[in-house]
Amino acid sequence: MSHAHSHDHHHDHDHDHAPIEAEDTSSSDTAILADALRMVLIEKGIFTAAEVQDQLTLMEGRSDRNGAAMIARAWVDADYRDALLADGAAAAQALGYDTKGTPLIVLENTAKVHNVVVCTLCSCYPVTLLGPSPEWYKSKAYRGRVVRDPRSVLREFGTEIGPDREVRVHDSTADMRYMIMPKRPKDSAGMTEEALAGLITRNGLIGVAEL
Ligand code: FE
């Protein structure tokens, strides 16, 4: 029988291809193996070419700019802010960001409370909203110490939380991710949503920095 997807290595079909400017690594052993594996899995019906493309698109779109866009929207739109605090994953979806079915809790930093995120067991992290996690987030030192003495860990990131504010540490799991809504900088009144997003750092979204 003939396959629905016949693979033509010469790419003489009529897809739009972006101009390739990066170094061509398509003939590396790893790339050839990955390519062969992908074709076998598609032909066996394990997954479809469209699913592969969706996954690649999702991976390329993983960035802390996604989380920053959500927080900036919340700062200028009270309804979105309420929705974000009520159901982070749904609010992410509303802006076109996929959390892959994992619930997301967004915690707001206030004059009274500063929140910081860790995964003590491993390194769970909202990758689609924050991009790949930094090395220090996965380190035993961070995972252990931020729970026992968060203020000293925050100090090492240059973040001094006054004695009048409570520091809360939130432990992620495979079933639950966290993202922090930093305090909006006082001098940001009148800024556009896009400019506000530019103020929001990855470390601010993890809670190890303020803005
Ligand atoms: Fe984890």
Side-chain angles (χ1 to χ4, degrees):
M1 73 177 257
S2 74
H3 291 279
H5 301 279
S6 77
H7 287 276
D8 183 344
H9 287 235
H10 300 290
H11 284 277
D12 55 358
H13 44 32
D14 58 4
H15 291 178
D16 282 327
H17 290 283
I20 296 167
E21 287 158 1
E23 184 190 356
D24 183 3
T25 55
S26 61
S27 61
S28 74
D29 287 350
T30 310
I32 289 167
L33 193 61
D35 215 38
L37 182 60
R38 183 163 53 239
M39 280 193 288
V40 168
L41 293 174
I42 289 169
E43 286 177 6
K44 297 272 185 201
I46 307 294
F47 48 59
T48 66
E51 284 167 346
V52 172
Q53 193 51 55
D54 287 350
Q55 192 62 33
L56 288 171
T57 302
L58 183 66
M59 288 182 68
E60 285 164 5
R62 299 183 308 178
S63 162
D64 62 2
R65 294 307 86 202
N66 300 344
M70 291 166 63
I71 299 301
R73 174 67 59 87
W75 283 346
V76 300
D77 179 337
D79 289 339
Y80 185 78
R81 176 183 170 281
D82 292 346
L84 183 64
L85 294 174
D87 184 339
Q93 206 76 60
L95 294 194
Y97 308 129
D98 195 345
T99 55
K100 314 238 13 170
T102 309
L104 175 77
I105 293 179
V106 176
L107 298 151
E108 186 178 21
N109 285 344
T110 67
K112 291 188 169 151
V113 177
H114 180 87
N115 298 284
V116 58
V117 181
V118 66
C119 178
T120 55
L121 279 180
C122 40
S123 56
C124 299
Y125 189 80
V127 175
T128 56
L129 305 179
L130 296 189
S133 60
E135 285 305 312
W136 57 258
Y137 183 85
K138 298 177 257 190
S139 71
K140 271 190 177 165
Y142 178 75
R143 285 157 42 209
R145 288 183 48 220
V146 78
V147 174
R148 293 198 306 274
D149 189 3
R151 286 173 190 275
S152 85
V153 171
L154 290 171
R155 212 168 284 129
E156 287 170 39
F157 282 91
T159 305
E160 187 70 43
I161 303 298
D164 54 326
R165 294 176 75 201
E166 181 189 347
V167 176
R168 291 185 192 155
V169 181
H170 302 270
D171 194 356
S172 312
T173 68
D175 306 319
M176 178 64 66
R177 302 295 153 80
Y178 295 98
M179 185 169 80
I180 304 306
M181 184 189 304
K183 281 196 296 175
R184 179 171 170 169
K186 287 196 176 67
D187 57 0
S188 66
M191 286 176 72
T192 64
E193 189 177 330
E194 197 180 1
L196 288 168
L199 300 177
I200 298 165
T201 62
R202 179 197 65 194
N203 282 4
L205 297 169
I206 302 173
V208 293
E210 296 200 277
L211 304 182

